Amino acid sequence: QVQLVESGGGLVQPGGSLRLSCTNSGGTLEKYAIGWVRQAPGKQREGLSCINSSNGNTYYADSVKGRFTISRDNAKNTVYLQLNSLEPEDTAVYYCAASDLCGYEYDYWGQGTQVTVSS
């Protein structure tokens, strides 16, 4: 069973940082590729990053490359998304999602965590 739970969102000033976490309250995350997707009000959903389970390969959207870093700690059953140099345009609800492999359609989604970048 897969029940993804995100945490770590909040209000941060421009230029600040946050670390988002994604866990699976229904079992292990280890066998899944985990991605992060965000959706801002009035905008389409945007895929940000993904990390594979088997080889740990990571992928990033151009909009966040160099600012966001995805990682996983299987011992803690957690995938992280480190957000640095945040901009007001990064304000959105951030979701983690699971699939068999990065690039595949996501099968499971969390409930999302709000990130607000504002002074």
Side-chain angles (χ1 to χ4, degrees):
Q1 190 174 6
V2 182
Q3 295 177 319
L4 302 178
V5 180
E6 303 96 336
S7 61
L11 173 64
V12 63
Q13 292 186 342
S17 298
L18 284 173
R19 188 176 76 163
L20 307 183
S21 299
C22 174
T23 62
N24 178 13
S25 64
T28 183
L29 273 181
E30 188 170 356
K31 67 176 184 177
Y32 296 100
I34 301 296
W36 287 92
V37 179
R38 69 185 177 189
Q39 187 161 25
K43 294 188 176 181
Q44 287 190 335
R45 192 174 289 181
E46 179 186 13
L48 303 176
S49 183
C50 186
I51 184 166
N52 273 327
S53 61
S54 56
N55 54 22
N57 282 355
T58 58
Y59 305 89
Y60 296 93
D62 288 342
S63 60
V64 302
K65 200 173 293 183
R67 297 192 301 126
F68 293 3
T69 303
I70 193 170
S71 62
R72 66 192 307 155
D73 185 337
N74 289 332
K76 294 184 178 180
N77 202 33
T78 302
V79 170
Y80 303 99
L81 187 68
Q82 178 70 39
L83 316 179
N84 294 331
S85 302
L86 284 163
E87 306 164 351
E89 293 73 23
D90 295 314
T91 296
V93 178
Y94 285 68
Y95 301 89
C96 68
S99 66
D100 290 335
L101 197 67
C102 289
Y104 285 22
E105 185 174 352
Y106 291 117
D107 298 309
Y108 306 98
W109 293 80
Q111 83 290 349
T113 185
Q114 176 71 46
V115 171
T116 302
V117 185
S118 175
S119 55

